[in-house]
């Protein structure tokens, strides 16, 4: 049982978490009804998972993924996060999309001018292949034409 100041202590329920995400992760749509907002959900999905956020962040991440391709595009854009919190959101998003949609984008990102983006892309490829190697085909060709055995940081490190 957590005490005062315990980062794991929370009275937040999944129902209350959905209410928080409904309130803070949406904007009024053209018809005036609330609709999920990429920027707001990304911010919520990238927060520390302590206290109430241990329940809120996973709900926000699921809603983010439900936005579809815009969530994947945002994750690829933010894979170079220098602080780690956004990278966790990136990893979650990548894990929810087929490898055929994720791998080519990350392979292309390995050629980015930004060192942190390159590093994050390689890390994401390595983490994804370790956690679910069955998601990745034996050979993958990215949009850059690079053919990679499993991923750039696979044990063979073989890029052809």
């Amino acid at each position: 049982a957590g005490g005062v100041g315990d980062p794991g202590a929370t009275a937040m329920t999944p129902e209350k978490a959905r209410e928080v995400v409904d309130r803070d992760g949406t904007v009024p749509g053209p018809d005036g009804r609330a609709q999920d907002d990429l920027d707001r959900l990304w911010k919520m999905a990238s927060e520390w998972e302590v206290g109430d956020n241990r329940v809120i962040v996973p709900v926000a991440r699921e809603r983010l993924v439900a936005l579809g391709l815009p969530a994947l595009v945002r994750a690829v854009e933010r894979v170079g996060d220098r602080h780690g919190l956004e990278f966790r959101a990136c990893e979650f998003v990548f894990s929810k999309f087929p490898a055929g949609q994720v791998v080519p984008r990350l392979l292309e990102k390995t050629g980015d001018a930004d060192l942190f983006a390159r590093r994050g892309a390689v890390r994401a490829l390595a983490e994804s292949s370790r956690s679910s190697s069955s998601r990745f085909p034996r050979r993958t060709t990215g949009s850059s034409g690079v053919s990679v055995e499993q991923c750039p940081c696979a044990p063979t490190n073989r890029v052809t």
Side-chain angles (χ1 to χ4, degrees), residues 3-56:
V4 175
D6 180 354
T10 182
M12 180 64 62
T13 65
E15 295 77 27
K16 287 181 184 177
R18 282 189 287 278
E19 290 173 13
V20 170
V21 175
D22 285 343
R23 181 189 69 224
D24 298 342
T26 61
V27 294
D31 60 359
R33 294 173 45 200
Q35 67 180 31
D36 287 343
D37 180 71
L38 178 65
D39 293 329
R40 289 174 180 227
L41 288 173
W42 183 262
K43 183 178 183 299
M44 295 179 80
S46 300
E47 293 180 357
W48 285 100
E49 288 184 79
V50 296
D52 289 351
N53 279 352
R54 291 181 63 206
V55 184
I56 296 169

Side-chain angles (χ1 to χ4, degrees), residues 79-160:
V79 77
D81 169 45
R82 290 168 173 81
H83 306 290
L85 291 175
E86 283 187 283
F87 189 80
R88 289 181 186 176
C90 292
E91 287 180 309
F92 182 84
V93 171
F94 298 150
S95 75
K96 299 299 182 179
F97 282 85
Q101 289 184 310
V102 177
V103 172
R105 286 174 166 85
L106 289 175
L107 286 173
E108 185 155 335
K109 201 72 169 170
T110 64
D112 197 278
D114 179 39
L115 170 68
F116 290 99
R118 291 192 311 268
R119 188 179 294 164
V122 169
R123 180 178 168 201
L125 285 163
E127 293 294 324
S128 294
S129 68
R130 262 196 297 266
S131 65
S132 181
S133 61
S134 63
R135 290 188 58 225
F136 288 86
R138 194 68 187 142
R139 292 188 93 38
T140 303
T141 302
S143 59
S144 63
V146 175
S147 178
V148 179
E149 183 79 13
Q150 195 84 3
C151 77
C153 26
T156 60
N157 289 328
R158 197 167 60 193
V159 178
T160 57

